[in-house]
Amino acid sequence: MDDLTIPFDLVVVGAGINGLGIARDAASRGLRVALLEKDDICSGVSAWSGRLVHGGLRYLEHRDFALVRESLRERERLFRLAPHLVKPLRLIMPLYAHNKRPAWMIRLGMVVYDVLSFDKKTGRHEILDVEALRRRFAGIDRAGLKGAAVFTDGQVEYAERLCTEVAVAAAGDGAVIRTKARVEEPIMQDGRVAGVRFRDTTTGQLHDVHAPVVLNVAGPWIDRVLRRGAPPQPRLNGGTKGSHLVVDPFPGAPDDVVYYESKTDGRLVLVIPWMGRYLIGTTDVRFDEDPDDARCDADEMGYLLGEVNQLIPEAKLTPDDVLFTYSGVRPLPYAPDVDEWEIPRSHVLHDHAPDLPGFITVVGGKLTTYRQLAEEAVDETFRRLGRTSPRCVTAELPLPGVVGDLDEVRRFLTTRGLGERSVARLLALYGGRALDVVAEAEDDPQLLEVVHEGTGALAAELVFAVRHEFARTLTDVLARRVLLAFEPGHGLEVAERAAALLGERLGWDEERQAAELAEYRRWLTRLAVPGREEGTVGAGAQEGGAR
């Protein structure tokens, strides 16, 4: 903990995409930054979204043109600054007679969307008639169908990898990142916040970190950060639970993302190609419990399956087809008298003065606009420090995995004797940093062995995650770095081997390895299918592929 004993300018609480973005921006502008996270990088809501990088088309309904413009601008930046992770894709929005939003409104919205994204490099929207739509999406229900709008947004298939690269960039600029560090209380000095006290959850020990500004960026946990040592604060988080189902390819499934209006209640539902399967989501349910306890329930699953089966009649999806589920709580402002659908999606910085001067909470925030949010938060930090802020540079700084010639990286990986599947995987998850991954095997050739045949994942990835990407547990590695948790079988078929491999190189004894395996199995219960017997997470996913 020696590197946390120095005085910092800023403490950031929370290592989701927004906290990481703030740490990177602040460090790149010369601030001394400490980031504390109670669990792991991207262990919260940043991983539980629909993994789309979008301009917020539906925000036009609320006439929030500024948020849409900001989202579209940041979307384009991510295409440019993280092209290996964030990619454009086309979305289909069917126009049905039953839609609450008339076709003219959708068409107008598309025009406004194009106008607000005037600087985009991707294609403009198009309107398809019924026949053109059926050629593109043959499985769609034809009753009352009038055509569709098709437009461009983006996808970050591996949100965990995006967060990891932002963390690596932040640390490269000098930020100190500590996971398994649960903030307990503020440190007060002369009536002001002068840092925080946190508990190392692996040892139980308490430690102090000093800084004149503390940014609480804990997402839906913002009201739970200060456990003691502070006067009661107003409730700020009013997050709603959003759940997703994951299924194998099914009859009639689309090749594009489909974004459509529910017949049940008019909410917008998505069918999203993801990692060779499909994400179906999302719901929008009030949730006042601990966000760690958010799980998909039977009503949500029934709602989503019913909507997909109406849109794609030959799908005939049942609960038995659900491989796994996941749920997260959106970090929205507390608005008890507003319908879930109407709660604002823009972020605000809440000052806790006069009770806790120097303690600021970030309320809200979206994955797409994390960089802009960070810029604003760091500008405010400089103002509070009484210092002139250098120019923000993150709008032009690519993430670490960006290289000039990815094909050159591909050719080098092939010369190392790696299989085609492993090469494709390394490029997709790490971009140019794939070279750093295989460099782990220079003095340890066994690390070039494939540990997971289905994906081509290498042993080197496991070690790299711990040595260079802040992973500290088997769950960190499998769930949030190499992403085997979301494959058929959830990586359980290789988990014991992975624990042993890490144990050999990190000094984990047999007792520690067994504990790591047990904790990983416990984490997988987050992916449970409602009504399915405990311990059978992913039972239907062992074979993979279409039905």
Side-chain angles (χ1 to χ4, degrees), residues 518-530:
E519 174 57 25
Y520 180 56
R521 291 190 179 97
R522 187 204 64 77
W523 182 88
L524 285 174
T525 62
R526 292 190 64 101
L527 308 182
V529 177

Side-chain angles (χ1 to χ4, degrees), residues 27-241:
S28 71
R29 293 200 234 179
L31 292 180
R32 293 168 297 179
V33 185
L35 185 149
L36 305 176
E37 163 58 47
K38 70 182 181 69
D39 189 356
D40 182 31
I41 289 167
C42 202
S43 58
V45 69
S46 294
W48 303 128
S49 69
R51 298 165 186 267
L52 295 179
V53 174
H54 61 89
L57 178 65
R58 72 179 184 83
Y59 305 152
L60 292 177
E61 290 186 82
H62 308 309
R63 297 179 177 83
D64 198 342
F65 301 112
L67 179 59
V68 175
R69 171 57 190 155
E70 175 184 277
S71 300
L72 289 166
R73 185 180 63 241
E74 293 301 313
R75 181 196 71 182
E76 293 301 308
R77 283 197 173 116
L78 282 170
F79 289 158
R80 187 176 74 254
L81 302 178
H84 58 305
L85 294 173
V86 184
K87 303 178 187 301
L89 80 171
R90 296 292 267 177
L91 286 79
I92 296 174
M93 178 176 279
L95 306 175
Y96 276 107
H98 72 259
N99 285 2
K100 294 181 180 180
R101 301 162 182 84
W104 68 262
M105 181 183 294
I106 300 300
R107 292 190 180 99
L108 177 60
M110 291 292 159
V111 172
V112 175
Y113 208 56
D114 278 341
V115 170
L116 291 173
S117 57
F118 60 85
D119 50 355
K120 67 178 180 290
K121 298 293 193 296
T122 53
R124 298 172 65 85
H125 83 277
E126 56 183 316
I127 301 296
L128 304 182
D129 62 23
V130 173
E131 290 307 312
L133 175 58
R134 287 174 57 188
R135 288 194 295 272
R136 185 163 185 158
F137 178 13
I140 191 170
D141 182 27
R142 302 170 188 176
L145 186 63
K146 298 181 176 181
V150 180
F151 63 102
T152 298
D153 261 325
Q155 182 179 42
V156 54
E157 199 167 15
Y158 314 114
E160 297 85 351
R161 297 302 314 166
L162 179 67
C163 287
T164 297
E165 287 209 16
V166 177
V168 168
D173 283 329
V176 176
I177 297 174
R178 282 285 177 271
T179 61
K180 320 304 178 191
R182 187 181 67 213
V183 171
E184 300 274 338
E185 60 183 314
I187 298 171
M188 303 299 294
Q189 184 176 328
D190 299 327
R192 292 187 55 81
V193 171
V196 295
R197 182 165 291 122
F198 75 90
R199 187 178 302 278
D200 183 328
T201 59
T202 63
T203 66
Q205 294 182 331
L206 289 171
H207 303 272
D208 291 352
V209 184
H210 293 274
V213 179
V214 176
L215 287 177
N216 174 15
V217 201
W221 290 270
I222 52 175
D223 295 328
R224 299 170 182 265
V225 165
L226 299 181
R227 295 164 173 261
R228 59 175 185 261
Q233 297 297 302
R235 178 174 173 177
L236 299 175
N237 179 64
T240 62
K241 181 178 65 165

